[in-house]
Amino acid sequence: MPARQRTFSGMRGVAAVPTYVVMQPTTLCNLDCRYCYLPLRAADRRMPVAVAEAVAAAVNPWAERGRFSVVWHGGEPLAAGRDHLAALIAPFGPSVEHHVQTNATLIDDDWCAFFAEHRVRVSVSVDGGRERNAERVTRAGRPAYDRIVRGVATLRRHGLPFSALAVVSRPEPGLATELYDYFLELGCDVLGVNIEETEGVNLRGNAHDAATVTAFWAELVAAWRRDPRIHLREVEWSLRYASAILDGTDDDVLPRRLDPIPTVGHDGSVTLLSPELAGFSDSRYGDFSSGNVLDTPLAEILSDAERTSWVGEFLSGVEACRASCPYFGFCGGGHAANRYFEQGRFDGTETEHCRNSKIRLLEGVLEHARDHQSPAA
Ligand code: SF4
């Protein structure tokens, strides 16, 4: 637990310029994972090239000034097909970095040539070994695992580096070590681990025993420290924060303002802060969209971000977190979608998601540090 409660100065308001944009080339996914939050994943609604051109008009100058990424996220982005994805990428300038978040099942030699030609960085969604992917099934309900590992093997044969993103549905003793060893073998160079979230059309509960989740993260740190070949996203964030506390620079860890993370839907609508809200609507908040790039330049949508009613409500929630939560300097107030899908509004504070993936993560890293302190320390 952080030693003191203090006021952190980061995360005040929404930044006018993001560090990345999420784009939805199609709503379609060829899989039907049981924990998926996407409402339209059975429909193939493709993004017109005019939407990509409108986004590129804003993004290209930003990318000239500093590192900037476009993340192609679906649905399953490869389900849009190579020709269409190439047409969507074409308006972006050479300084823009492209990423795809994919289930890997469609990756073949031609896709690998495409990734190399367009310098697309690949992140694969895979939850560990065969039995850990039981929730990842095709539309016919058959396990997708063999197709996932075939896609990953193709990436490796082409010498393409890749990241991995794993969803953990039930943290339990031994799982963290098993997962870390699996991903070492799989050959990814970056790994993100998410405890399953209750959001979108996935209404499964995500409350877990506190000690079990803390022990999961502590075990993951221990596995990583034995062989730290993979950049382990959550653990590295936590260690960076812990070392900033020791240096007295912990108030510099959070960005000064929230990254707006615009998600541009297939039809050009822009949802801010939480990609998971795109495609949903609510009688109180409408469709969560802050505008459409086909009508309004993206920079203008972002400069008016705080006028979107739910964004203003979320900013009140961030201030409530700042005032009440000893983990704020690490977390920065959490994610809008977790508040909405767990609490039905945006101005609450602690969610199951922040307990699982922020509070217990930091506790787990500290538990590991305490257990491995030298006796002289
Ligand atoms: S989201 Fe949760 S962990 Fe983050 S600052 Fe708010 S209460 Fe704390």
mmCIF file of all heavy atoms in Angstrom, residues 314 317-318 320-322 324-335 339 348-351 353-355 358-359, ligand 1:
data_model
loop_
_atom_site.group_PDB
_atom_site.id
_atom_site.type_symbol
_atom_site.label_atom_id
_atom_site.label_comp_id
_atom_site.label_asym_id
_atom_site.label_seq_id
_atom_site.Cartn_x
_atom_site.Cartn_y
_atom_site.Cartn_z
ATOM 1 N N PHE A 314 -17.127 11.967 -16.195
ATOM 2 C CA PHE A 314 -15.950 11.140 -15.915
ATOM 3 C C PHE A 314 -14.843 11.977 -15.263
ATOM 4 O O PHE A 314 -14.182 11.524 -14.317
ATOM 5 C CB PHE A 314 -15.436 10.485 -17.204
ATOM 6 C CG PHE A 314 -14.175 9.682 -16.994
ATOM 7 C CD1 PHE A 314 -14.183 8.536 -16.225
ATOM 8 C CD2 PHE A 314 -12.973 10.095 -17.546
ATOM 9 C CE1 PHE A 314 -13.025 7.804 -16.002
ATOM 10 C CE2 PHE A 314 -11.806 9.370 -17.337
ATOM 11 C CZ PHE A 314 -11.839 8.227 -16.565
ATOM 12 N N GLY A 317 -15.366 12.132 -11.765
ATOM 13 C CA GLY A 317 -14.947 10.876 -11.130
ATOM 14 C C GLY A 317 -13.441 10.835 -10.919
ATOM 15 O O GLY A 317 -12.949 10.358 -9.891
ATOM 16 N N VAL A 318 -12.686 11.355 -11.907
ATOM 17 C CA VAL A 318 -11.218 11.382 -11.759
ATOM 18 C C VAL A 318 -10.847 12.267 -10.565
ATOM 19 O O VAL A 318 -9.968 11.912 -9.754
ATOM 20 C CB VAL A 318 -10.551 11.896 -13.060
ATOM 21 C CG1 VAL A 318 -9.060 12.134 -12.855
ATOM 22 C CG2 VAL A 318 -10.788 10.897 -14.197
ATOM 23 N N ALA A 320 -12.719 12.788 -7.965
ATOM 24 C CA ALA A 320 -13.095 12.040 -6.751
ATOM 25 C C ALA A 320 -12.002 11.024 -6.412
ATOM 26 O O ALA A 320 -11.644 10.829 -5.244
ATOM 27 C CB ALA A 320 -14.446 11.351 -6.952
ATOM 28 N N CYS A 321 -11.449 10.380 -7.436
ATOM 29 C CA CYS A 321 -10.339 9.445 -7.208
ATOM 30 C C CYS A 321 -9.126 10.189 -6.645
ATOM 31 O O CYS A 321 -8.476 9.724 -5.707
ATOM 32 C CB CYS A 321 -9.925 8.769 -8.516
ATOM 33 S SG CYS A 321 -11.013 7.454 -9.047
ATOM 34 N N ARG A 322 -8.829 11.357 -7.237
ATOM 35 C CA ARG A 322 -7.654 12.122 -6.782
ATOM 36 C C ARG A 322 -7.787 12.442 -5.287
ATOM 37 O O ARG A 322 -6.818 12.369 -4.538
ATOM 38 C CB ARG A 322 -7.569 13.434 -7.567
ATOM 39 C CG ARG A 322 -6.287 14.238 -7.307
ATOM 40 C CD ARG A 322 -6.375 15.655 -7.880
ATOM 41 N NE ARG A 322 -6.823 15.697 -9.247
ATOM 42 C CZ ARG A 322 -6.058 15.496 -10.324
ATOM 43 N NH1 ARG A 322 -4.777 15.280 -10.179
ATOM 44 N NH2 ARG A 322 -6.575 15.537 -11.538
ATOM 45 N N SER A 324 -9.569 10.796 -3.030
ATOM 46 C CA SER A 324 -9.853 9.718 -2.075
ATOM 47 C C SER A 324 -8.948 8.496 -2.173
ATOM 48 O O SER A 324 -8.891 7.712 -1.235
ATOM 49 C CB SER A 324 -11.300 9.242 -2.266
ATOM 50 O OG SER A 324 -11.453 8.660 -3.551
ATOM 51 N N CYS A 325 -8.265 8.316 -3.291
ATOM 52 C CA CYS A 325 -7.613 7.016 -3.489
ATOM 53 C C CYS A 325 -6.093 7.116 -3.356
ATOM 54 O O CYS A 325 -5.455 7.875 -4.086
ATOM 55 C CB CYS A 325 -7.963 6.463 -4.870
ATOM 56 S SG CYS A 325 -7.150 4.880 -5.177
ATOM 57 N N PRO A 326 -5.496 6.325 -2.476
ATOM 58 C CA PRO A 326 -4.039 6.382 -2.308
ATOM 59 C C PRO A 326 -3.276 5.829 -3.520
ATOM 60 O O PRO A 326 -2.059 5.976 -3.591
ATOM 61 C CB PRO A 326 -3.776 5.535 -1.062
ATOM 62 C CG PRO A 326 -5.009 4.769 -0.811
ATOM 63 C CD PRO A 326 -6.157 5.439 -1.509
ATOM 64 N N TYR A 327 -4.008 5.232 -4.458
ATOM 65 C CA TYR A 327 -3.349 4.663 -5.648
ATOM 66 C C TYR A 327 -3.442 5.598 -6.851
ATOM 67 O O TYR A 327 -3.038 5.233 -7.946
ATOM 68 C CB TYR A 327 -3.995 3.312 -5.992
ATOM 69 C CG TYR A 327 -3.844 2.313 -4.877
ATOM 70 C CD1 TYR A 327 -4.752 2.277 -3.827
ATOM 71 C CD2 TYR A 327 -2.771 1.432 -4.844
ATOM 72 C CE1 TYR A 327 -4.602 1.394 -2.771
ATOM 73 C CE2 TYR A 327 -2.616 0.533 -3.803
ATOM 74 C CZ TYR A 327 -3.529 0.525 -2.776
ATOM 75 O OH TYR A 327 -3.370 -0.356 -1.733
ATOM 76 N N PHE A 328 -3.994 6.778 -6.653
ATOM 77 C CA PHE A 328 -4.238 7.662 -7.795
ATOM 78 C C PHE A 328 -2.961 7.969 -8.583
ATOM 79 O O PHE A 328 -2.973 8.013 -9.815
ATOM 80 C CB PHE A 328 -4.889 8.981 -7.336
ATOM 81 C CG PHE A 328 -5.216 9.884 -8.476
ATOM 82 C CD1 PHE A 328 -6.407 9.738 -9.170
ATOM 83 C CD2 PHE A 328 -4.327 10.866 -8.898
ATOM 84 C CE1 PHE A 328 -6.704 10.542 -10.264
ATOM 85 C CE2 PHE A 328 -4.616 11.680 -9.984
ATOM 86 C CZ PHE A 328 -5.806 11.520 -10.663
ATOM 87 N N GLY A 329 -1.852 8.178 -7.902
ATOM 88 C CA GLY A 329 -0.605 8.557 -8.588
ATOM 89 C C GLY A 329 -0.121 7.477 -9.533
ATOM 90 O O GLY A 329 0.620 7.746 -10.486
ATOM 91 N N PHE A 330 -0.547 6.253 -9.312
ATOM 92 C CA PHE A 330 -0.193 5.144 -10.193
ATOM 93 C C PHE A 330 -1.246 4.962 -11.282
ATOM 94 O O PHE A 330 -0.937 4.743 -12.451
ATOM 95 C CB PHE A 330 -0.078 3.866 -9.354
ATOM 96 C CG PHE A 330 0.079 2.606 -10.158
ATOM 97 C CD1 PHE A 330 1.161 2.444 -11.004
ATOM 98 C CD2 PHE A 330 -0.852 1.583 -10.071
ATOM 99 C CE1 PHE A 330 1.314 1.284 -11.753
ATOM 100 C CE2 PHE A 330 -0.713 0.429 -10.805
ATOM 101 C CZ PHE A 330 0.382 0.278 -11.652
ATOM 102 N N CYS A 331 -2.505 5.104 -10.872
ATOM 103 C CA CYS A 331 -3.616 4.723 -11.746
ATOM 104 C C CYS A 331 -4.132 5.879 -12.594
ATOM 105 O O CYS A 331 -4.466 5.695 -13.761
ATOM 106 C CB CYS A 331 -4.733 4.168 -10.857
ATOM 107 S SG CYS A 331 -6.323 4.100 -11.641
ATOM 108 N N GLY A 332 -4.203 7.055 -11.999
ATOM 109 C CA GLY A 332 -4.697 8.227 -12.731
ATOM 110 C C GLY A 332 -6.199 8.266 -12.890
ATOM 111 O O GLY A 332 -6.718 9.053 -13.670
ATOM 112 N N GLY A 333 -6.914 7.413 -12.183
ATOM 113 C CA GLY A 333 -8.373 7.527 -12.213
ATOM 114 C C GLY A 333 -9.079 6.480 -13.046
ATOM 115 O O GLY A 333 -10.299 6.539 -13.213
ATOM 116 N N GLY A 334 -8.346 5.518 -13.574
ATOM 117 C CA GLY A 334 -9.001 4.370 -14.218
ATOM 118 C C GLY A 334 -9.619 4.693 -15.566
ATOM 119 O O GLY A 334 -9.351 5.733 -16.169
ATOM 120 N N HIS A 335 -10.454 3.776 -16.020
ATOM 121 C CA HIS A 335 -11.008 3.863 -17.374
ATOM 122 C C HIS A 335 -12.505 4.128 -17.326
ATOM 123 O O HIS A 335 -13.231 3.552 -16.510
ATOM 124 C CB HIS A 335 -10.757 2.562 -18.135
ATOM 125 C CG HIS A 335 -9.315 2.234 -18.219
ATOM 126 N ND1 HIS A 335 -8.427 2.991 -18.936
ATOM 127 C CD2 HIS A 335 -8.594 1.246 -17.647
ATOM 128 C CE1 HIS A 335 -7.225 2.488 -18.802
ATOM 129 N NE2 HIS A 335 -7.292 1.426 -18.022
ATOM 130 N N ARG A 339 -16.058 2.126 -15.289
ATOM 131 C CA ARG A 339 -17.038 2.790 -14.407
ATOM 132 C C ARG A 339 -18.444 2.591 -14.964
ATOM 133 O O ARG A 339 -19.363 2.255 -14.239
ATOM 134 C CB ARG A 339 -16.796 4.281 -14.364
ATOM 135 C CG ARG A 339 -15.420 4.579 -13.980
ATOM 136 C CD ARG A 339 -15.398 5.533 -12.874
ATOM 137 N NE ARG A 339 -13.994 5.793 -12.652
ATOM 138 C CZ ARG A 339 -13.555 6.899 -12.183
ATOM 139 N NH1 ARG A 339 -14.401 7.840 -11.885
ATOM 140 N NH2 ARG A 339 -12.279 7.052 -11.991
ATOM 141 N N GLY A 348 -18.276 7.656 -10.315
ATOM 142 C CA GLY A 348 -17.922 6.849 -9.148
ATOM 143 C C GLY A 348 -16.409 6.750 -9.023
ATOM 144 O O GLY A 348 -15.660 7.382 -9.764
ATOM 145 N N THR A 349 -15.964 5.944 -8.078
ATOM 146 C CA THR A 349 -14.512 5.766 -7.950
ATOM 147 C C THR A 349 -14.172 4.287 -8.130
ATOM 148 O O THR A 349 -14.165 3.799 -9.253
ATOM 149 C CB THR A 349 -13.986 6.332 -6.610
ATOM 150 O OG1 THR A 349 -14.710 5.742 -5.541
ATOM 151 C CG2 THR A 349 -14.113 7.849 -6.552
ATOM 152 N N GLU A 350 -13.939 3.583 -7.041
ATOM 153 C CA GLU A 350 -13.328 2.252 -7.147
ATOM 154 C C GLU A 350 -14.233 1.230 -7.844
ATOM 155 O O GLU A 350 -15.393 1.064 -7.479
ATOM 156 C CB GLU A 350 -13.006 1.779 -5.730
ATOM 157 C CG GLU A 350 -11.936 0.742 -5.679
ATOM 158 C CD GLU A 350 -11.536 0.434 -4.238
ATOM 159 O OE1 GLU A 350 -11.141 1.368 -3.514
ATOM 160 O OE2 GLU A 350 -11.623 -0.743 -3.866
ATOM 161 N N THR A 351 -13.660 0.530 -8.822
ATOM 162 C CA THR A 351 -14.369 -0.536 -9.536
ATOM 163 C C THR A 351 -13.668 -1.871 -9.278
ATOM 164 O O THR A 351 -12.524 -1.898 -8.797
ATOM 165 C CB THR A 351 -14.353 -0.282 -11.053
ATOM 166 O OG1 THR A 351 -12.979 -0.238 -11.471
ATOM 167 C CG2 THR A 351 -15.055 1.016 -11.426
ATOM 168 N N HIS A 353 -12.565 -3.600 -11.625
ATOM 169 C CA HIS A 353 -11.415 -3.558 -12.535
ATOM 170 C C HIS A 353 -10.222 -2.876 -11.868
ATOM 171 O O HIS A 353 -9.109 -3.374 -11.934
ATOM 172 C CB HIS A 353 -11.771 -2.824 -13.828
ATOM 173 C CG HIS A 353 -10.562 -2.559 -14.665
ATOM 174 N ND1 HIS A 353 -9.895 -3.561 -15.334
ATOM 175 C CD2 HIS A 353 -9.850 -1.425 -14.871
ATOM 176 C CE1 HIS A 353 -8.853 -3.047 -15.958
ATOM 177 N NE2 HIS A 353 -8.792 -1.757 -15.674
ATOM 178 N N CYS A 354 -10.458 -1.736 -11.202
ATOM 179 C CA CYS A 354 -9.281 -1.073 -10.614
ATOM 180 C C CYS A 354 -8.759 -1.866 -9.426
ATOM 181 O O CYS A 354 -7.557 -1.867 -9.170
ATOM 182 C CB CYS A 354 -9.513 0.405 -10.326
ATOM 183 S SG CYS A 354 -10.635 0.804 -9.009
ATOM 184 N N ARG A 355 -9.642 -2.603 -8.727
ATOM 185 C CA ARG A 355 -9.110 -3.468 -7.654
ATOM 186 C C ARG A 355 -8.216 -4.551 -8.271
ATOM 187 O O ARG A 355 -7.114 -4.803 -7.804
ATOM 188 C CB ARG A 355 -10.250 -4.145 -6.896
ATOM 189 C CG ARG A 355 -10.991 -3.182 -6.024
ATOM 190 C CD ARG A 355 -12.099 -3.853 -5.193
ATOM 191 N NE ARG A 355 -12.983 -2.807 -4.760
ATOM 192 C CZ ARG A 355 -14.262 -2.672 -5.133
ATOM 193 N NH1 ARG A 355 -14.841 -3.573 -5.896
ATOM 194 N NH2 ARG A 355 -14.965 -1.642 -4.726
ATOM 195 N N LYS A 358 -5.162 -2.549 -10.864
ATOM 196 C CA LYS A 358 -4.332 -1.419 -10.418
ATOM 197 C C LYS A 358 -3.912 -1.655 -8.968
ATOM 198 O O LYS A 358 -2.731 -1.794 -8.669
ATOM 199 C CB LYS A 358 -5.097 -0.093 -10.513
ATOM 200 C CG LYS A 358 -5.705 0.187 -11.852
ATOM 201 C CD LYS A 358 -4.689 0.688 -12.849
ATOM 202 C CE LYS A 358 -5.361 0.876 -14.174
ATOM 203 N NZ LYS A 358 -4.848 1.768 -15.083
ATOM 204 N N ILE A 359 -4.927 -1.730 -8.069
ATOM 205 C CA ILE A 359 -4.609 -1.792 -6.642
ATOM 206 C C ILE A 359 -3.865 -3.089 -6.321
ATOM 207 O O ILE A 359 -2.786 -3.082 -5.735
ATOM 208 C CB ILE A 359 -5.912 -1.672 -5.807
ATOM 209 C CG1 ILE A 359 -6.541 -0.292 -6.065
ATOM 210 C CG2 ILE A 359 -5.647 -1.905 -4.332
ATOM 211 C CD1 ILE A 359 -7.903 -0.081 -5.421
HETATM 212 S S1 SF4 B 1 -9.818 4.076 -10.564
HETATM 213 FE FE1 SF4 B 1 -9.592 2.910 -8.661
HETATM 214 S S2 SF4 B 1 -7.360 2.644 -8.307
HETATM 215 FE FE2 SF4 B 1 -7.689 4.234 -9.845
HETATM 216 S S3 SF4 B 1 -7.601 6.131 -8.700
HETATM 217 FE FE3 SF4 B 1 -9.791 5.562 -8.898
HETATM 218 S S4 SF4 B 1 -10.277 4.322 -7.078
HETATM 219 FE FE4 SF4 B 1 -8.021 4.475 -7.240
#
